[in-house]
Amino acid sequence: MDDLDSFGPGHIGSYQAERRARSRPLPVHPKGIRRRREILDRSLEVFAERGVDGTSLRAIGEAIGVSHAALRNYFASREELLVELLLERDVRSEASREEAESVFGHLTNTAEANSEIAGIVALYTVMMGNAIQQAEGDAREYFTERFELNRADLSSRLEEELSTHGLTATEDLGDVAALIMAAFDGLQVQWLLDDRVDITRILKLLERLLLASARPADAAPGQSV
Amino acid sequence: MDDLDSFGPGHIGSYQAERRARSRPLPVHPKGIRRRREILDRSLEVFAERGVDGTSLRAIGEAIGVSHAALRNYFASREELLVELLLERDVRSEASREEAESVFGHLTNTAEANSEIAGIVALYTVMMGNAIQQAEGDAREYFTERFELNRADLSSRLEEELSTHGLTATEDLGDVAALIMAAFDGLQVQWLLDDRVDITRILKLLERLLLASARPADAAPGQSV
DNA sequence: GTCTATACAGGGATAGAC
DNA sequence: GTCTATCCCTGTATAGAC
């Protein structure tokens, strides 16, 4: 019912574990757990209203009624808080992926769900920009690991799906996965700046192109379609 | 010999004119002209060394030996300065585009040139993130207009190129243009985070897919390749 | 025209009191 | 766990020297 991502990570990934070790310990008492949830929920509300750059720790704290310093009992930094929001969305996206009938089915579902919540798409894109301007940092690690996992996952799911239809790929599926992910992310940016860009329609175009390039599994290489 | 962009704008665009009217007047005296150039050049050096977010006005001023306030005689804001760098790169890219033999030839040329100057690619991507988190602003206008112009330009160049080879498109070329641009930008992000992602190779994959979808201009619709 | 000096509002991060 | 107070950084703005 939400999220923007290009496919949630198939599994959570080693980065997750490392990050957990580095960051604030998860609260164990009910009050702490509620507080942490409240911070995450309010953060989403605040940047839905004021944009990503308007979402300062002070603004979030103000929305809850605590000082900005209090937030840092739960999140070591503002960046960590925002990455946590992206991770939560990945988990939900992963759930919806398991219901989807095909790779591109999930992609277009995601694109359509995203169109209703531009806020999180914007957060994703802004964080992507933040990620690459750092030598290290939570956002950079998040995206690096995410891309790597998704390339591998998507690649194997594509292979599986092709063989189900009695097809064999004529192109490197790792490259195809990178291409699909790049197209998805790039189209989201264009859509954010101009909503006439129809992500779903263009993804279906890409799907047609890729399907046409596959060949029957029993045919000799060279004769496509 | 440089730049990252996905195709410089075919023409400069109305935004350019409006922006000029809004910003600081261009210097007319030799000293001012030299100073403005120096600021732009040093800016590139500074964020090559310290990253985009390390490129504060104070850092640039320090590299030149002037106060940060002096920079604002030439650029109304930090954002305007950075957008100016992107515009300069577009102009140079446009020149190289005219030498390229084909649409994808220019794209792969650009990708290869970019691989030597990760700095400007990072600037482009970071500014893209900045652009979408603003309701208005120089960066947002730059990217909105850039994408719109490039979709139109690329679309018409693709049509031209297909007809040169006696081919007709079976897909909407506006959508194809958006797809190519999205793939290019998205691949750049992935490459910035993991240089094992081979932009050129994947762009060639996309080119193959698109070429295979075209059909002879005299053939009836339905029979592809 | 060009530049310095200075002030301001806002950001994230941090130390230490309670 | 939360606070206040503080630090240092940022972009922006203005006044006035030369």
Side-chain angles (χ1 to χ4, degrees), chain A residues 102-125:
Chain A
S102 70
V103 168
F104 272 89
H106 175 239
L107 289 178
T108 53
N109 284 351
T110 301
E112 272 161 29
N114 287 349
S115 65
E116 292 164 20
I117 42 143
I120 194 88
V121 189
L123 175 65
Y124 175 86
T125 305

mmCIF file with all atom_site columns, all heavy atoms in Angstrom, chain A residues 102-125:
data_model
loop_
_atom_site.group_PDB
_atom_site.id
_atom_site.type_symbol
_atom_site.label_atom_id
_atom_site.label_alt_id
_atom_site.label_comp_id
_atom_site.label_asym_id
_atom_site.label_entity_id
_atom_site.label_seq_id
_atom_site.pdbx_PDB_ins_code
_atom_site.Cartn_x
_atom_site.Cartn_y
_atom_site.Cartn_z
_atom_site.occupancy
_atom_site.B_iso_or_equiv
_atom_site.pdbx_formal_charge
_atom_site.auth_seq_id
_atom_site.auth_comp_id
_atom_site.auth_asym_id
_atom_site.auth_atom_id
_atom_site.pdbx_PDB_model_num
ATOM 1   N N   . SER A 1 102 ? 4.436  -11.197 -11.089 1.00 0.00 ? 102 SER A N   1
ATOM 2   C CA  . SER A 1 102 ? 5.644  -11.203 -11.906 1.00 0.00 ? 102 SER A CA  1
ATOM 3   C C   . SER A 1 102 ? 6.552  -10.053 -11.507 1.00 0.00 ? 102 SER A C   1
ATOM 4   O O   . SER A 1 102 ? 6.156  -9.172  -10.737 1.00 0.00 ? 102 SER A O   1
ATOM 5   C CB  . SER A 1 102 ? 5.284  -11.060 -13.388 1.00 0.00 ? 102 SER A CB  1
ATOM 6   O OG  . SER A 1 102 ? 4.815  -9.742  -13.620 1.00 0.00 ? 102 SER A OG  1
ATOM 7   N N   . VAL A 1 103 ? 7.753  -10.080 -12.037 1.00 0.00 ? 103 VAL A N   1
ATOM 8   C CA  . VAL A 1 103 ? 8.716  -9.015  -11.730 1.00 0.00 ? 103 VAL A CA  1
ATOM 9   C C   . VAL A 1 103 ? 8.160  -7.655  -12.128 1.00 0.00 ? 103 VAL A C   1
ATOM 10  O O   . VAL A 1 103 ? 8.120  -6.721  -11.317 1.00 0.00 ? 103 VAL A O   1
ATOM 11  C CB  . VAL A 1 103 ? 10.039 -9.278  -12.474 1.00 0.00 ? 103 VAL A CB  1
ATOM 12  C CG1 . VAL A 1 103 ? 10.928 -8.050  -12.401 1.00 0.00 ? 103 VAL A CG1 1
ATOM 13  C CG2 . VAL A 1 103 ? 10.751 -10.486 -11.882 1.00 0.00 ? 103 VAL A CG2 1
ATOM 14  N N   . PHE A 1 104 ? 7.703  -7.550  -13.355 1.00 0.00 ? 104 PHE A N   1
ATOM 15  C CA  . PHE A 1 104 ? 7.207  -6.266  -13.814 1.00 0.00 ? 104 PHE A CA  1
ATOM 16  C C   . PHE A 1 104 ? 5.854  -5.937  -13.191 1.00 0.00 ? 104 PHE A C   1
ATOM 17  O O   . PHE A 1 104 ? 5.490  -4.779  -13.059 1.00 0.00 ? 104 PHE A O   1
ATOM 18  C CB  . PHE A 1 104 ? 7.141  -6.217  -15.344 1.00 0.00 ? 104 PHE A CB  1
ATOM 19  C CG  . PHE A 1 104 ? 8.427  -5.754  -15.953 1.00 0.00 ? 104 PHE A CG  1
ATOM 20  C CD1 . PHE A 1 104 ? 9.422  -6.664  -16.279 1.00 0.00 ? 104 PHE A CD1 1
ATOM 21  C CD2 . PHE A 1 104 ? 8.666  -4.409  -16.172 1.00 0.00 ? 104 PHE A CD2 1
ATOM 22  C CE1 . PHE A 1 104 ? 10.619 -6.244  -16.831 1.00 0.00 ? 104 PHE A CE1 1
ATOM 23  C CE2 . PHE A 1 104 ? 9.857  -3.977  -16.725 1.00 0.00 ? 104 PHE A CE2 1
ATOM 24  C CZ  . PHE A 1 104 ? 10.839 -4.890  -17.056 1.00 0.00 ? 104 PHE A CZ  1
ATOM 25  N N   . GLY A 1 105 ? 5.125  -6.974  -12.809 1.00 0.00 ? 105 GLY A N   1
ATOM 26  C CA  . GLY A 1 105 ? 3.886  -6.731  -12.088 1.00 0.00 ? 105 GLY A CA  1
ATOM 27  C C   . GLY A 1 105 ? 4.153  -5.991  -10.792 1.00 0.00 ? 105 GLY A C   1
ATOM 28  O O   . GLY A 1 105 ? 3.484  -5.019  -10.458 1.00 0.00 ? 105 GLY A O   1
ATOM 29  N N   . HIS A 1 106 ? 5.171  -6.436  -10.068 1.00 0.00 ? 106 HIS A N   1
ATOM 30  C CA  . HIS A 1 106 ? 5.518  -5.769  -8.824  1.00 0.00 ? 106 HIS A CA  1
ATOM 31  C C   . HIS A 1 106 ? 6.013  -4.353  -9.072  1.00 0.00 ? 106 HIS A C   1
ATOM 32  O O   . HIS A 1 106 ? 5.688  -3.416  -8.350  1.00 0.00 ? 106 HIS A O   1
ATOM 33  C CB  . HIS A 1 106 ? 6.589  -6.556  -8.068  1.00 0.00 ? 106 HIS A CB  1
ATOM 34  C CG  . HIS A 1 106 ? 7.079  -5.870  -6.837  1.00 0.00 ? 106 HIS A CG  1
ATOM 35  N ND1 . HIS A 1 106 ? 8.396  -5.539  -6.648  1.00 0.00 ? 106 HIS A ND1 1
ATOM 36  C CD2 . HIS A 1 106 ? 6.415  -5.420  -5.742  1.00 0.00 ? 106 HIS A CD2 1
ATOM 37  C CE1 . HIS A 1 106 ? 8.517  -4.924  -5.476  1.00 0.00 ? 106 HIS A CE1 1
ATOM 38  N NE2 . HIS A 1 106 ? 7.345  -4.841  -4.911  1.00 0.00 ? 106 HIS A NE2 1
ATOM 39  N N   . LEU A 1 107 ? 6.785  -4.192  -10.140 1.00 0.00 ? 107 LEU A N   1
ATOM 40  C CA  . LEU A 1 107 ? 7.318  -2.860  -10.437 1.00 0.00 ? 107 LEU A CA  1
ATOM 41  C C   . LEU A 1 107 ? 6.209  -1.867  -10.722 1.00 0.00 ? 107 LEU A C   1
ATOM 42  O O   . LEU A 1 107 ? 6.209  -0.746  -10.200 1.00 0.00 ? 107 LEU A O   1
ATOM 43  C CB  . LEU A 1 107 ? 8.264  -2.933  -11.638 1.00 0.00 ? 107 LEU A CB  1
ATOM 44  C CG  . LEU A 1 107 ? 9.603  -3.622  -11.400 1.00 0.00 ? 107 LEU A CG  1
ATOM 45  C CD1 . LEU A 1 107 ? 10.411 -3.653  -12.687 1.00 0.00 ? 107 LEU A CD1 1
ATOM 46  C CD2 . LEU A 1 107 ? 10.383 -2.892  -10.323 1.00 0.00 ? 107 LEU A CD2 1
ATOM 47  N N   . THR A 1 108 ? 5.263  -2.274  -11.541 1.00 0.00 ? 108 THR A N   1
ATOM 48  C CA  . THR A 1 108 ? 4.204  -1.327  -11.879 1.00 0.00 ? 108 THR A CA  1
ATOM 49  C C   . THR A 1 108 ? 3.267  -1.119  -10.691 1.00 0.00 ? 108 THR A C   1
ATOM 50  O O   . THR A 1 108 ? 2.771  -0.012  -10.472 1.00 0.00 ? 108 THR A O   1
ATOM 51  C CB  . THR A 1 108 ? 3.413  -1.802  -13.109 1.00 0.00 ? 108 THR A CB  1
ATOM 52  O OG1 . THR A 1 108 ? 2.969  -3.136  -12.896 1.00 0.00 ? 108 THR A OG1 1
ATOM 53  C CG2 . THR A 1 108 ? 4.292  -1.771  -14.343 1.00 0.00 ? 108 THR A CG2 1
ATOM 54  N N   . ASN A 1 109 ? 3.036  -2.170  -9.908  1.00 0.00 ? 109 ASN A N   1
ATOM 55  C CA  . ASN A 1 109 ? 2.280  -1.982  -8.670  1.00 0.00 ? 109 ASN A CA  1
ATOM 56  C C   . ASN A 1 109 ? 2.941  -0.925  -7.795  1.00 0.00 ? 109 ASN A C   1
ATOM 57  O O   . ASN A 1 109 ? 2.293  -0.024  -7.260  1.00 0.00 ? 109 ASN A O   1
ATOM 58  C CB  . ASN A 1 109 ? 2.221  -3.289  -7.864  1.00 0.00 ? 109 ASN A CB  1
ATOM 59  C CG  . ASN A 1 109 ? 1.235  -4.276  -8.460  1.00 0.00 ? 109 ASN A CG  1
ATOM 60  O OD1 . ASN A 1 109 ? 0.468  -3.940  -9.360  1.00 0.00 ? 109 ASN A OD1 1
ATOM 61  N ND2 . ASN A 1 109 ? 1.277  -5.504  -7.959  1.00 0.00 ? 109 ASN A ND2 1
ATOM 62  N N   . THR A 1 110 ? 4.240  -1.073  -7.644  1.00 0.00 ? 110 THR A N   1
ATOM 63  C CA  . THR A 1 110 ? 4.993  -0.137  -6.808  1.00 0.00 ? 110 THR A CA  1
ATOM 64  C C   . THR A 1 110 ? 4.903  1.273   -7.359  1.00 0.00 ? 110 THR A C   1
ATOM 65  O O   . THR A 1 110 ? 4.659  2.229   -6.619  1.00 0.00 ? 110 THR A O   1
ATOM 66  C CB  . THR A 1 110 ? 6.464  -0.572  -6.737  1.00 0.00 ? 110 THR A CB  1
ATOM 67  O OG1 . THR A 1 110 ? 6.535  -1.888  -6.200  1.00 0.00 ? 110 THR A OG1 1
ATOM 68  C CG2 . THR A 1 110 ? 7.250  0.370   -5.842  1.00 0.00 ? 110 THR A CG2 1
ATOM 69  N N   . ALA A 1 111 ? 5.069  1.387   -8.664  1.00 0.00 ? 111 ALA A N   1
ATOM 70  C CA  . ALA A 1 111 ? 5.011  2.716   -9.280  1.00 0.00 ? 111 ALA A CA  1
ATOM 71  C C   . ALA A 1 111 ? 3.661  3.363   -9.028  1.00 0.00 ? 111 ALA A C   1
ATOM 72  O O   . ALA A 1 111 ? 3.575  4.558   -8.723  1.00 0.00 ? 111 ALA A O   1
ATOM 73  C CB  . ALA A 1 111 ? 5.291  2.612   -10.771 1.00 0.00 ? 111 ALA A CB  1
ATOM 74  N N   . GLU A 1 112 ? 2.603  2.567   -9.136  1.00 0.00 ? 112 GLU A N   1
ATOM 75  C CA  . GLU A 1 112 ? 1.274  3.140   -8.950  1.00 0.00 ? 112 GLU A CA  1
ATOM 76  C C   . GLU A 1 112 ? 1.012  3.505   -7.494  1.00 0.00 ? 112 GLU A C   1
ATOM 77  O O   . GLU A 1 112 ? 0.402  4.521   -7.196  1.00 0.00 ? 112 GLU A O   1
ATOM 78  C CB  . GLU A 1 112 ? 0.210  2.168   -9.468  1.00 0.00 ? 112 GLU A CB  1
ATOM 79  C CG  . GLU A 1 112 ? -0.059 2.381   -10.956 1.00 0.00 ? 112 GLU A CG  1
ATOM 80  C CD  . GLU A 1 112 ? -0.725 1.174   -11.600 1.00 0.00 ? 112 GLU A CD  1
ATOM 81  O OE1 . GLU A 1 112 ? -1.455 0.465   -10.889 1.00 0.00 ? 112 GLU A OE1 1
ATOM 82  O OE2 . GLU A 1 112 ? -0.503 0.966   -12.809 1.00 0.00 ? 112 GLU A OE2 1
ATOM 83  N N   . ALA A 1 113 ? 1.493  2.660   -6.600  1.00 0.00 ? 113 ALA A N   1
ATOM 84  C CA  . ALA A 1 113 ? 1.345  2.982   -5.181  1.00 0.00 ? 113 ALA A CA  1
ATOM 85  C C   . ALA A 1 113 ? 2.118  4.264   -4.864  1.00 0.00 ? 113 ALA A C   1
ATOM 86  O O   . ALA A 1 113 ? 1.640  5.131   -4.128  1.00 0.00 ? 113 ALA A O   1
ATOM 87  C CB  . ALA A 1 113 ? 1.858  1.830   -4.324  1.00 0.00 ? 113 ALA A CB  1
ATOM 88  N N   . ASN A 1 114 ? 3.292  4.384   -5.458  1.00 0.00 ? 114 ASN A N   1
ATOM 89  C CA  . ASN A 1 114 ? 4.117  5.554   -5.192  1.00 0.00 ? 114 ASN A CA  1
ATOM 90  C C   . ASN A 1 114 ? 3.466  6.849   -5.629  1.00 0.00 ? 114 ASN A C   1
ATOM 91  O O   . ASN A 1 114 ? 3.701  7.895   -5.026  1.00 0.00 ? 114 ASN A O   1
ATOM 92  C CB  . ASN A 1 114 ? 5.455  5.426   -5.925  1.00 0.00 ? 114 ASN A CB  1
ATOM 93  C CG  . ASN A 1 114 ? 6.351  4.413   -5.272  1.00 0.00 ? 114 ASN A CG  1
ATOM 94  O OD1 . ASN A 1 114 ? 6.074  3.961   -4.170  1.00 0.00 ? 114 ASN A OD1 1
ATOM 95  N ND2 . ASN A 1 114 ? 7.420  4.062   -5.950  1.00 0.00 ? 114 ASN A ND2 1
ATOM 96  N N   . SER A 1 115 ? 2.679  6.762   -6.701  1.00 0.00 ? 115 SER A N   1
ATOM 97  C CA  . SER A 1 115 ? 2.118  7.994   -7.239  1.00 0.00 ? 115 SER A CA  1
ATOM 98  C C   . SER A 1 115 ? 1.200  8.654   -6.225  1.00 0.00 ? 115 SER A C   1
ATOM 99  O O   . SER A 1 115 ? 0.884  9.826   -6.328  1.00 0.00 ? 115 SER A O   1
ATOM 100 C CB  . SER A 1 115 ? 1.359  7.702   -8.533  1.00 0.00 ? 115 SER A CB  1
ATOM 101 O OG  . SER A 1 115 ? 0.240  6.879   -8.266  1.00 0.00 ? 115 SER A OG  1
ATOM 102 N N   . GLU A 1 116 ? 0.772  7.887   -5.233  1.00 0.00 ? 116 GLU A N   1
ATOM 103 C CA  . GLU A 1 116 ? -0.105 8.472   -4.223  1.00 0.00 ? 116 GLU A CA  1
ATOM 104 C C   . GLU A 1 116 ? 0.668  9.051   -3.039  1.00 0.00 ? 116 GLU A C   1
ATOM 105 O O   . GLU A 1 116 ? 0.109  9.702   -2.186  1.00 0.00 ? 116 GLU A O   1
ATOM 106 C CB  . GLU A 1 116 ? -1.090 7.399   -3.718  1.00 0.00 ? 116 GLU A CB  1
ATOM 107 C CG  . GLU A 1 116 ? -2.088 6.991   -4.785  1.00 0.00 ? 116 GLU A CG  1
ATOM 108 C CD  . GLU A 1 116 ? -2.792 5.694   -4.430  1.00 0.00 ? 116 GLU A CD  1
ATOM 109 O OE1 . GLU A 1 116 ? -2.785 5.349   -3.245  1.00 0.00 ? 116 GLU A OE1 1
ATOM 110 O OE2 . GLU A 1 116 ? -3.315 5.041   -5.338  1.00 0.00 ? 116 GLU A OE2 1
ATOM 111 N N   . ILE A 1 117 ? 1.928  8.764   -2.986  1.00 0.00 ? 117 ILE A N   1
ATOM 112 C CA  . ILE A 1 117 ? 2.704  9.249   -1.864  1.00 0.00 ? 117 ILE A CA  1
ATOM 113 C C   . ILE A 1 117 ? 4.040  9.791   -2.327  1.00 0.00 ? 117 ILE A C   1
ATOM 114 O O   . ILE A 1 117 ? 5.092  9.193   -2.133  1.00 0.00 ? 117 ILE A O   1
ATOM 115 C CB  . ILE A 1 117 ? 2.968  8.122   -0.850  1.00 0.00 ? 117 ILE A CB  1
ATOM 116 C CG1 . ILE A 1 117 ? 3.332  6.843   -1.630  1.00 0.00 ? 117 ILE A CG1 1
ATOM 117 C CG2 . ILE A 1 117 ? 1.809  7.914   0.057   1.00 0.00 ? 117 ILE A CG2 1
ATOM 118 C CD1 . ILE A 1 117 ? 4.366  6.022   -0.962  1.00 0.00 ? 117 ILE A CD1 1
ATOM 119 N N   . ALA A 1 118 ? 3.957  10.958  -2.983  1.00 0.00 ? 118 ALA A N   1
ATOM 120 C CA  . ALA A 1 118 ? 5.154  11.548  -3.563  1.00 0.00 ? 118 ALA A CA  1
ATOM 121 C C   . ALA A 1 118 ? 6.210  11.806  -2.486  1.00 0.00 ? 118 ALA A C   1
ATOM 122 O O   . ALA A 1 118 ? 7.396  11.825  -2.762  1.00 0.00 ? 118 ALA A O   1
ATOM 123 C CB  . ALA A 1 118 ? 4.824  12.842  -4.288  1.00 0.00 ? 118 ALA A CB  1
ATOM 124 N N   . GLY A 1 119 ? 5.775  11.981  -1.267  1.00 0.00 ? 119 GLY A N   1
ATOM 125 C CA  . GLY A 1 119 ? 6.711  12.320  -0.208  1.00 0.00 ? 119 GLY A CA  1
ATOM 126 C C   . GLY A 1 119 ? 7.832  11.320  -0.049  1.00 0.00 ? 119 GLY A C   1
ATOM 127 O O   . GLY A 1 119 ? 9.009  11.676  -0.023  1.00 0.00 ? 119 GLY A O   1
ATOM 128 N N   . ILE A 1 120 ? 7.482  10.044  0.030   1.00 0.00 ? 120 ILE A N   1
ATOM 129 C CA  . ILE A 1 120 ? 8.503  9.041   0.273   1.00 0.00 ? 120 ILE A CA  1
ATOM 130 C C   . ILE A 1 120 ? 9.388  8.846   -0.961  1.00 0.00 ? 120 ILE A C   1
ATOM 131 O O   . ILE A 1 120 ? 10.574 8.535   -0.835  1.00 0.00 ? 120 ILE A O   1
ATOM 132 C CB  . ILE A 1 120 ? 7.863  7.698   0.711   1.00 0.00 ? 120 ILE A CB  1
ATOM 133 C CG1 . ILE A 1 120 ? 8.921  6.748   1.291   1.00 0.00 ? 120 ILE A CG1 1
ATOM 134 C CG2 . ILE A 1 120 ? 7.157  7.036   -0.421  1.00 0.00 ? 120 ILE A CG2 1
ATOM 135 C CD1 . ILE A 1 120 ? 9.140  6.928   2.751   1.00 0.00 ? 120 ILE A CD1 1
ATOM 136 N N   . VAL A 1 121 ? 8.835  9.077   -2.133  1.00 0.00 ? 121 VAL A N   1
ATOM 137 C CA  . VAL A 1 121 ? 9.640  9.010   -3.349  1.00 0.00 ? 121 VAL A CA  1
ATOM 138 C C   . VAL A 1 121 ? 10.683 10.120  -3.331  1.00 0.00 ? 121 VAL A C   1
ATOM 139 O O   . VAL A 1 121 ? 11.844 9.913   -3.685  1.00 0.00 ? 121 VAL A O   1
ATOM 140 C CB  . VAL A 1 121 ? 8.766  9.141   -4.612  1.00 0.00 ? 121 VAL A CB  1
ATOM 141 C CG1 . VAL A 1 121 ? 9.586  8.849   -5.847  1.00 0.00 ? 121 VAL A CG1 1
ATOM 142 C CG2 . VAL A 1 121 ? 7.578  8.214   -4.534  1.00 0.00 ? 121 VAL A CG2 1
ATOM 143 N N   . ALA A 1 122 ? 10.233 11.285  -2.905  1.00 0.00 ? 122 ALA A N   1
ATOM 144 C CA  . ALA A 1 122 ? 11.158 12.407  -2.818  1.00 0.00 ? 122 ALA A CA  1
ATOM 145 C C   . ALA A 1 122 ? 12.244 12.114  -1.790  1.00 0.00 ? 122 ALA A C   1
ATOM 146 O O   . ALA A 1 122 ? 13.424 12.375  -2.032  1.00 0.00 ? 122 ALA A O   1
ATOM 147 C CB  . ALA A 1 122 ? 10.402 13.685  -2.446  1.00 0.00 ? 122 ALA A CB  1
ATOM 148 N N   . LEU A 1 123 ? 11.852 11.548  -0.667  1.00 0.00 ? 123 LEU A N   1
ATOM 149 C CA  . LEU A 1 123 ? 12.843 11.204  0.350   1.00 0.00 ? 123 LEU A CA  1
ATOM 150 C C   . LEU A 1 123 ? 13.886 10.249  -0.223  1.00 0.00 ? 123 LEU A C   1
ATOM 151 O O   . LEU A 1 123 ? 15.094 10.429  -0.041  1.00 0.00 ? 123 LEU A O   1
ATOM 152 C CB  . LEU A 1 123 ? 12.169 10.565  1.564   1.00 0.00 ? 123 LEU A CB  1
ATOM 153 C CG  . LEU A 1 123 ? 13.115 10.059  2.655   1.00 0.00 ? 123 LEU A CG  1
ATOM 154 C CD1 . LEU A 1 123 ? 13.864 11.209  3.298   1.00 0.00 ? 123 LEU A CD1 1
ATOM 155 C CD2 . LEU A 1 123 ? 12.368 9.265   3.725   1.00 0.00 ? 123 LEU A CD2 1
ATOM 156 N N   . TYR A 1 124 ? 13.407 9.252   -0.926  1.00 0.00 ? 124 TYR A N   1
ATOM 157 C CA  . TYR A 1 124 ? 14.304 8.269   -1.529  1.00 0.00 ? 124 TYR A CA  1
ATOM 158 C C   . TYR A 1 124 ? 15.294 8.960   -2.459  1.00 0.00 ? 124 TYR A C   1
ATOM 159 O O   . TYR A 1 124 ? 16.506 8.714   -2.397  1.00 0.00 ? 124 TYR A O   1
ATOM 160 C CB  . TYR A 1 124 ? 13.476 7.226   -2.278  1.00 0.00 ? 124 TYR A CB  1
ATOM 161 C CG  . TYR A 1 124 ? 14.276 6.213   -3.059  1.00 0.00 ? 124 TYR A CG  1
ATOM 162 C CD1 . TYR A 1 124 ? 14.755 5.064   -2.453  1.00 0.00 ? 124 TYR A CD1 1
ATOM 163 C CD2 . TYR A 1 124 ? 14.534 6.395   -4.418  1.00 0.00 ? 124 TYR A CD2 1
ATOM 164 C CE1 . TYR A 1 124 ? 15.482 4.123   -3.165  1.00 0.00 ? 124 TYR A CE1 1
ATOM 165 C CE2 . TYR A 1 124 ? 15.253 5.455   -5.140  1.00 0.00 ? 124 TYR A CE2 1
ATOM 166 C CZ  . TYR A 1 124 ? 15.721 4.318   -4.513  1.00 0.00 ? 124 TYR A CZ  1
ATOM 167 O OH  . TYR A 1 124 ? 16.438 3.403   -5.230  1.00 0.00 ? 124 TYR A OH  1
ATOM 168 N N   . THR A 1 125 ? 14.794 9.835   -3.299  1.00 0.00 ? 125 THR A N   1
ATOM 169 C CA  . THR A 1 125 ? 15.655 10.470  -4.288  1.00 0.00 ? 125 THR A CA  1
ATOM 170 C C   . THR A 1 125 ? 16.642 11.434  -3.639  1.00 0.00 ? 125 THR A C   1
ATOM 171 O O   . THR A 1 125 ? 17.816 11.484  -4.004  1.00 0.00 ? 125 THR A O   1
ATOM 172 C CB  . THR A 1 125 ? 14.796 11.211  -5.328  1.00 0.00 ? 125 THR A CB  1
ATOM 173 O OG1 . THR A 1 125 ? 13.863 10.304  -5.882  1.00 0.00 ? 125 THR A OG1 1
ATOM 174 C CG2 . THR A 1 125 ? 15.668 11.784  -6.433  1.00 0.00 ? 125 THR A CG2 1
#
